């Protein structure tokens, strides 16, 4: 794996139509960083899609706002950051288990759970916007 470089830094409008293209760009960088191809194809794809969806639909809630995506290649990790212009959230409070009886039939509320299942580490904090780092 290459060392300490920003492989991708893109800003998109807060519009779900841009998600697929950004996911493809992140996947490409993931493969170039020598991450296991199945992890790039499934784990990274699902987690980044969910993070972008949350940033656009729950964080920004406004098409006039933007979402920034950065991918970093470190000596021992491939790190993706999704930054929105929203007010922030408590990840623990917002993560629910979709397998529980009260959540099994819900159509939403699975994104953070899936991100945590598919990535080694997921954290959120408020910096220049709300940052989800995976």
């Amino acid at each position: 794996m290459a060392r300490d470089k920003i492989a991708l830094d893109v800003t998109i409008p807060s519009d779900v139509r841009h998600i697929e293209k950004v996911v493809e760009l992140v996947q490409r960088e993931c493969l170039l960083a020598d991450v296991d191809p199945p992890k790039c194809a499934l784990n990274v794809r699902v987690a980044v899609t969910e993070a972008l969806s949350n940033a656009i639909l729950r964080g920004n809630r406004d098409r006039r706002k933007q979402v920034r995506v950065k991918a970093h290649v470190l000596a021992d990790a491939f790190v993706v950051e999704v930054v929105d212009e929203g007010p922030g959230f408590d990840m623990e409070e917002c993560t629910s288990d979709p397998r529980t009886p009260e959540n099994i039939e819900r159509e939403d509320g699975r994104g953070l759970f899936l991100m945590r299942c598919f990535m080694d580490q997921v954290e959120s904090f408020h910096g220049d916007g709300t940052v989800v780092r995976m």
Side-chain angles (χ1 to χ4, degrees):
M1 191 170 288
R3 295 190 63 102
D4 302 341
K5 74 170 197 160
I6 295 177
L8 178 70
D9 188 348
V10 297
T11 301
I12 61 169
S14 199
D15 185 331
V16 296
R17 293 179 293 181
H18 297 278
I19 292 174
E20 187 63 31
K21 182 62 177 168
V22 173
V23 170
E24 289 173 6
L25 293 171
V26 172
Q27 277 187 284
R28 184 189 77 215
E29 294 302 329
C30 182
L31 289 168
L32 290 173
D34 293 326
V35 175
D36 184 37
K39 284 186 179 180
C40 294
L42 178 64
N43 299 34
V44 171
R45 180 178 193 78
V46 170
V48 172
T49 298
E50 292 297 335
L52 284 167
S53 297
N54 284 347
I56 292 167
L57 300 173
R58 296 183 185 271
N60 284 349
R61 297 181 182 190
D62 183 341
R63 284 185 170 209
R64 294 172 293 186
K65 294 182 178 180
Q66 298 183 319
V67 176
R68 184 175 183 189
V69 179
K70 295 192 290 186
H72 304 266
V73 179
L74 307 176
D76 61 346
F78 181 74
V79 178
V80 180
E81 293 180 350
V82 177
V83 184
D84 65 43
E85 298 179 51
F89 66 100
D90 181 321
M91 183 173 284
E92 294 306 317
E93 187 178 300
C94 293
T95 303
S96 60
D97 186 342
R99 302 168 296 179
T100 61
E102 64 271 11
N103 292 329
I104 198 94
E105 292 187 26
R106 287 184 60 189
E107 294 181 14
D108 66 344
R110 290 165 170 69
L112 292 171
F113 178 83
L114 289 171
M115 288 162 46
R116 288 176 141 180
C117 287
F118 284 122
M119 301 301 274
D120 293 330
Q121 183 177 355
V122 180
E123 60 184 348
S124 69
F125 56 92
H126 202 72
D128 292 336
T130 302
V131 180
V132 171
R133 180 181 293 147
M134 305 172 280

